[in-house]
């Protein structure tokens, strides 16, 4: 659900997430690797209010391949439900502190880890190549 939400977002919506893609640059392709939810004991998607995940979004464009594409990556928090919301810590000085403010303490180690599922990145790469 988070991948679909990010990929359906317009460049303007991505700008509000802290991603700076040009309006006419291409299609946005994302990989999402969830590492936690809130409430912590949620047993179904219907019970999940927030998803915490690592993400990477790349934008297609003329002559651009996966390795040279413009990308953004890092941890994020997504509120599901009727009023979805994407929160991405702003880059720059103080970034680690902003990540810790956004992500629950129990998930801090995961927030700074690499993608745990290489298949997620490979699937995004394949979608990227098809979208070019």
């Amino acid at each position: 659900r988070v991948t679909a939400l990010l990929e359906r977002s317009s460049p303007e919506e991505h700008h509000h997430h802290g991603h700076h893609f040009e309006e006419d640059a291409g299609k946005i392709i994302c990989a999402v690797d969830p590492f936690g939810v809130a409430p912590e004991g949620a047993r179904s998607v219907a019970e999940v209010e927030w998803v915490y995940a690592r993400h990477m979004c790349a934008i297609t464009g003329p002559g651009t391949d996966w390795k040279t594409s413009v990308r953004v990556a890092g941890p994020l928090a997504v509120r599901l439900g009727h009023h979805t919301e994407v929160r991405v810590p702003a880059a720059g000085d103080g970034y680690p502190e902003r990540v810790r403010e956004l992500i629950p303490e129990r998930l801090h180690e995961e927030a700074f880890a690499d993608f745990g599922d290489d298949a997620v990145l490979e699937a995004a790469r394949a979608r990227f190549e098809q979208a070019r």
Side-chain angles (χ1 to χ4, degrees), residues 2 5-6 9 13-21 30 32 50-57 71-79 85-92 94-95 97-103:
V2 174
L5 174 68
L6 292 174
S9 296
E13 289 170 312
H14 275 277
H15 187 77
H16 291 291
H17 305 162
H19 303 156
H20 301 288
F21 296 134
C30 299
V32 176
W50 287 92
V51 174
Y52 303 101
R54 287 173 287 278
H55 84 294
M56 186 195 63
C57 292
R71 298 185 225 181
V72 293
L76 53 67
V78 177
R79 180 172 46 190
E85 178 183 358
V86 177
R87 294 184 185 173
V88 179
Y95 176 76
E97 291 78 22
R98 286 189 292 281
V99 170
R100 289 182 190 96
E101 290 170 2
L102 179 64
I103 306 296

Side-chain angles (χ1 to χ4, degrees), residues 31-116:
V32 176
D33 185 20
F35 56 81
V37 298
E40 189 174 0
R43 296 186 181 271
S44 71
V45 174
E47 295 176 356
V48 173
E49 295 174 24
W50 287 92
V51 174
Y52 303 101
R54 287 173 287 278
H55 84 294
M56 186 195 63
C57 292
I59 193 153
T60 65
T64 303
D65 65 12
W66 178 251
K67 291 179 183 178
T68 60
S69 63
V70 174
R71 298 185 225 181
V72 293
L76 53 67
V78 177
R79 180 172 46 190
L80 301 179
H82 185 66
H83 298 289
T84 60
E85 178 183 358
V86 177
R87 294 184 185 173
V88 179
D93 290 340
Y95 176 76
E97 291 78 22
R98 286 189 292 281
V99 170
R100 289 182 190 96
E101 290 170 2
L102 179 64
I103 306 296
E105 186 175 350
R106 65 185 166 82
L107 300 171
H108 283 176
E109 186 174 325
E110 286 290 332
F112 292 101
D114 291 333
F115 265 74

